[in-house]
Amino acid sequence: MSSRVGPSDGADALTGGICLGIYEKALVGGPLEGADDWRAFLAQVPQAGLSFIDLSIDESARRQARLGWDASYCRLVRGAAEAVGTTIGGLCLSIHRRIAPGSADPDTRLRARQVMARGLRVCHDLSVPVLQVAGYYCYYEDPNPDAEHWYRQMLADAAPLAARLGVVMGIENVDGTDVTSVRKAVELVREVDSPYLQVYPDLGNIAEQGLDPRVELEAGRGRMVAMHAKDVRPGEPRRVEMGTGVVDWDLSLQLLAHQHWAGRLMIEMWNDDAPDSLARCRAARAFIEERARAAGVPVLPGP
């Protein structure tokens, strides 16, 4: 029996570098139901010159319903991605901002744990390797003294399921007042102590919180499974055009180059179905590519 090795499977593939992807909310797409809908939607990813997409399970009824996807529907979505030549790089479990893991209400905490279990299962059935866990304890509630404890306990209890399914959870540093730094996310990772819980830094949120990327990215060294790239201004963590905010892109990418960090860098944008969304995605990709290469970070096609 013989095997064939393609050009991308040779020794030259075993090198550093990043691949660039996009957040689904940057693309134009209405209700996505059948395979044709998904193929048309996902085709925008390669059209923008990007390698992968991150999907979201958020507070909206349409995306929250994805918690109910069964294995058959996940195969449909995965097949649509394969058909247009892209991949699903991650799943963002943003709904924990609403269904709070650290809530003072035990019924809400139970729902948050159910959300975590379903999110991991959907990742597995989509063949998605990373579940991004938002660092919100109880975003819409008044703080309670046990919020961090309950949040950490959910992560610890989810780690065995993540291990069985082969899905890595990554804690995102967020806006607000909870897990606001990579340092705090790493602290939680160390306390849980599972290889299936790591960190998913957001370069924009580091800047929006007024933190030093030299400190934050060094804290995440060796534990950063993927990364978000967005621009921000103080008090504006979303919808800031790339290059017009306060993120120090040159420094951030130089720091990643110094670490020899390799992985998926997901451009996080909210284009709100604007007719020029694809052009905005291309411009953001070109902006990041230019600065990454100037910093000595190779930008490579995805798998």
Side-chain angles (χ1 to χ4, degrees):
M1 183 171 67
S2 63
S3 62
R4 298 175 61 187
V5 177
S8 64
D9 297 319
D12 58 337
L14 301 179
T15 58
I18 62 173
C19 58
L20 296 178
I22 195 71
Y23 195 32
E24 70 161 295
K25 297 178 185 181
L27 304 177
V28 176
L32 302 171
E33 297 177 359
D36 289 344
D37 294 336
W38 278 102
R39 281 193 294 267
F41 176 68
L42 294 168
Q44 296 172 85
V45 180
Q47 288 168 11
L50 293 155
S51 299
F52 68 91
I53 186 171
D54 273 15
L55 298 181
S56 173
I57 295 177
D58 65 13
E59 301 172 47
S60 68
R62 176 163 64 97
R63 293 192 177 97
Q64 185 174 340
R66 295 173 179 178
L67 290 168
W69 282 359
D70 60 15
S72 175
Y73 194 80
C74 288
R75 284 194 297 272
L76 179 149
V77 175
R78 190 172 71 239
E82 293 169 353
V84 301
T86 193
T87 61
I88 303 170
L91 185 64
C92 301
L93 201 59
S94 307
I95 192 174
H96 272 149
R97 191 165 75 158
R98 170 66 64 183
I99 304 176
S103 174
D105 176 14
D107 289 338
T108 301
R109 294 200 302 271
L110 176 60
R111 290 175 60 209
R113 292 164 68 87
Q114 293 168 338
V115 162
M116 175 62 82
R118 282 303 305 160
L120 286 167
R121 178 65 64 180
V122 171
C123 266
H124 171 269
D125 291 345
L126 284 171
S127 297
V128 171
V130 176
L131 180 68
Q132 180 247 293
V133 184
Y136 299 116
Y137 303 155
C138 48
Y139 185 81
Y140 292 111
E141 297 180 19
D142 292 333
N144 73 79
D146 296 319
E148 182 180 328
H149 164 76
W150 293 121
Y151 179 86
R152 181 174 60 250
Q153 191 62 53
M154 181 193 68
L155 295 175
D157 291 345
L161 176 59
R164 291 194 298 273
L165 296 175
V167 176
V168 178
M169 302 176 289
I171 305 173
E172 181 194 31
N173 57 298
V174 293
D175 59 302
T177 59
D178 297 327
V179 184
T180 56
S181 68
V182 178
R183 285 170 292 145
K184 182 61 183 180
V186 169
E187 177 186 317
L188 292 165
V189 166
R190 287 175 175 154
E191 290 172 353
V192 172
D193 193 24
S194 166
Y196 287 89
L197 180 65
Q198 301 297 333
V199 297
Y200 195 134
D202 186 311
L203 296 174
N205 287 338
I206 291 172
E208 197 272 333
Q209 293 282 355
L211 303 174
D212 186 342
R214 287 165 291 208
V215 174
E216 298 302 314
L217 294 178
E218 181 59 30
R221 181 188 288 267
R223 296 185 179 275
M224 302 186 293
V225 294
M227 199 163 303
H228 282 175
K230 67 177 179 184
D231 220 335
V232 299
R233 285 185 284 267
E236 292 183 68
R238 296 169 186 83
R239 293 178 174 82
V240 175
E241 182 181 349
M242 197 73 75
T244 67
V246 298
V247 175
D248 190 333
W249 293 106
D250 294 334
L251 174 60
S252 296
L253 290 161
Q254 288 165 10
L255 292 167
L256 295 179
H258 179 72
Q259 285 193 26
H260 304 289
W261 185 81
R264 291 187 173 109
L265 187 69
M266 191 271 278
I267 298 171
E268 191 174 21
M269 301 172 66
W270 295 260
N271 288 331
D272 303 309
D273 286 330
D276 64 342
S277 290
L278 203 56
R280 295 186 193 186
C281 292
R282 291 185 180 120
R285 172 187 53 78
F287 178 90
I288 295 294
E289 277 188 347
E290 179 182 350
R291 281 148 187 82
R293 291 192 168 118
V297 178
V299 179
L300 306 172

